[in-house]
Amino acid sequence: MPGGRLTEADRRRIAAGLAEGLGYTEIGRRLERPASTVMREVTRNGGPDGYRADRAHEATRRRARRRKQPRPPAPPVLDSGHGRDPRALQDFTESFTDLLTQQGLPRMAARVLACLCVTDSGALTAADLVERLRVSPASVSHAVAFLEQQGLLERDRASGTRRERYVIDEDVWLRSVQAALEMNDALLAASQRATGILGAGTPAGDRFESCAAFLLLVSESLRKAMEQWRQSQATRG
C-alpha cells in the first residue's frame, strides 16, 4: 500500500533493484513509493552496497519492538521516616492511585492526591510534586487545578516563604462527600421536576419518581453521616 510500512516483499524488491543498479527514483516508482522512502530504508540498513532484505526487515522489527515497550515509570520519592518499609509504602501508593482512578479521578490527579495523602505533613509544593512523581510542572499544575476544583485540596503559603503549597487535611474526604451530596441534590431536583413535567403515572414519570425517591434517601443518609462525623470530631477535640 503506497505510503504504508514497507513489507518484507518490498524490501526484497529494493534489494533486487539495487542489484540491477537502479536508482532510488526508479525503485520507488516500481514500488509506488517516494524515492525518499527508498533512500531512508537503504541508508539506515547498510547502504547501497550492504543492503540485505532479510537483515533490513529483522532490524525494523527489532526497532518496532523497542518503541512499543514503554519505559517503566521511575519510582516515586516517598517519605522514609518512622521506620516504614519503602517497598510496602510504594506498593500501597500505587494501589491507592489505581483505586482513586477507578473512582473517576484522572490518572495524574490521582497520583498527586495519593502522593499528598501518604506524606505526614499533607502539604507539598509544586517542586516537591515534580520531584516525587518525576513529571513535568505542567502536569502537576493541571492535576492540582482539577483537585482544587473538586474541593480535594487547598493552597497556602508556608510561614516566612512565598512558595505556594498544596494541602490536604483530615477533612479531605468530608469535602469530597459534600461535593457528591451537592451533585446528588441537583439530580434529585431534576428528577422531581421531570416527574411533574412527564406526569406521574406515566412510564417515564414513574421512572423519574422512583429515581427521586432513591436520591432523596441517599442525600438524607449522607447528611446524617456528615453530621455524625462532625459531632464525633467536636467531642474528640
Side-chain angles (χ1 to χ4, degrees):
M1 178 178 179
R5 294 180 179 177
L6 291 171
T7 66
E8 189 170 7
D10 291 332
R11 292 188 168 93
R12 285 198 295 267
R13 293 176 67 186
I14 290 174
L18 292 172
E20 291 180 40
L22 301 179
Y24 297 141
T25 300
E26 178 58 22
I27 295 174
R29 188 187 66 78
R30 294 185 179 188
L31 291 176
E32 297 183 343
R33 305 274 186 161
S36 58
T37 298
V38 177
M39 182 180 68
R40 284 196 300 272
E41 167 68 15
V42 173
T43 301
R44 67 164 42 179
N45 292 293
D49 297 328
Y51 185 84
R52 300 292 183 272
D54 55 347
R55 290 190 306 201
H57 195 65
E58 180 58 30
T60 301
R61 290 177 59 186
R62 287 198 301 270
R63 287 192 293 268
R65 283 197 296 269
R66 286 198 297 269
R67 285 195 295 269
K68 288 179 181 178
Q69 292 175 352
R71 292 183 178 179
V77 179
L78 300 170
D79 289 349
S80 57
H82 302 285
R84 293 168 178 146
D85 179 350
R87 182 68 238 178
L89 182 55
Q90 181 177 329
D91 288 345
F92 169 77
T93 304
E94 291 172 356
S95 65
F96 190 51
T97 298
D98 291 339
L99 176 60
L100 294 174
T101 303
Q102 292 166 14
Q103 298 300 311
L105 283 184
R107 182 71 184 178
M108 193 65 242
R111 293 188 67 198
V112 168
L113 185 57
C115 187
L116 282 164
C117 285
V118 300
T119 60
D120 288 310
S121 66
L124 295 169
T125 65
D128 292 332
L129 288 166
V130 167
E131 178 186 5
R132 288 168 179 253
L133 299 177
R134 312 290 173 83
V135 295
S136 69
S139 296
V140 168
S141 178
H142 290 311
V144 164
F146 176 86
L147 292 170
E148 188 175 28
Q149 185 180 30
Q150 302 300 311
L152 294 173
L153 61 73
E154 298 176 341
R155 300 172 188 249
D156 75 1
R157 296 186 188 277
S159 59
T161 178
R162 297 178 60 185
R163 298 180 69 188
E164 193 171 61
R165 302 186 308 171
Y166 308 121
V167 183
I168 62 167
D169 55 26
E170 63 272 13
D171 288 334
V172 57
W173 304 120
L174 182 64
R175 289 193 296 273
S176 176
V177 171
Q178 178 64 48
L181 175 59
E182 292 171 2
M183 175 58 71
N184 196 76
D185 285 344
L187 290 171
L188 170 59
S191 297
Q192 291 170 333
R193 181 166 176 260
T195 301
I197 293 172
L198 294 166
T202 67
D206 286 347
R207 190 182 310 119
F208 272 105
E209 187 175 24
S210 177
C211 289
F214 173 71
L215 293 169
L216 178 61
L217 180 63
V218 171
S219 288
E220 290 175 347
S221 298
L222 288 176
R223 285 192 172 87
K224 182 178 180 180
M226 292 170 66
E227 183 58 31
Q228 288 176 338
W229 172 252
R230 290 189 180 102
Q231 290 176 2
S232 70
Q233 290 299 98
T235 302
R236 193 176 72 175

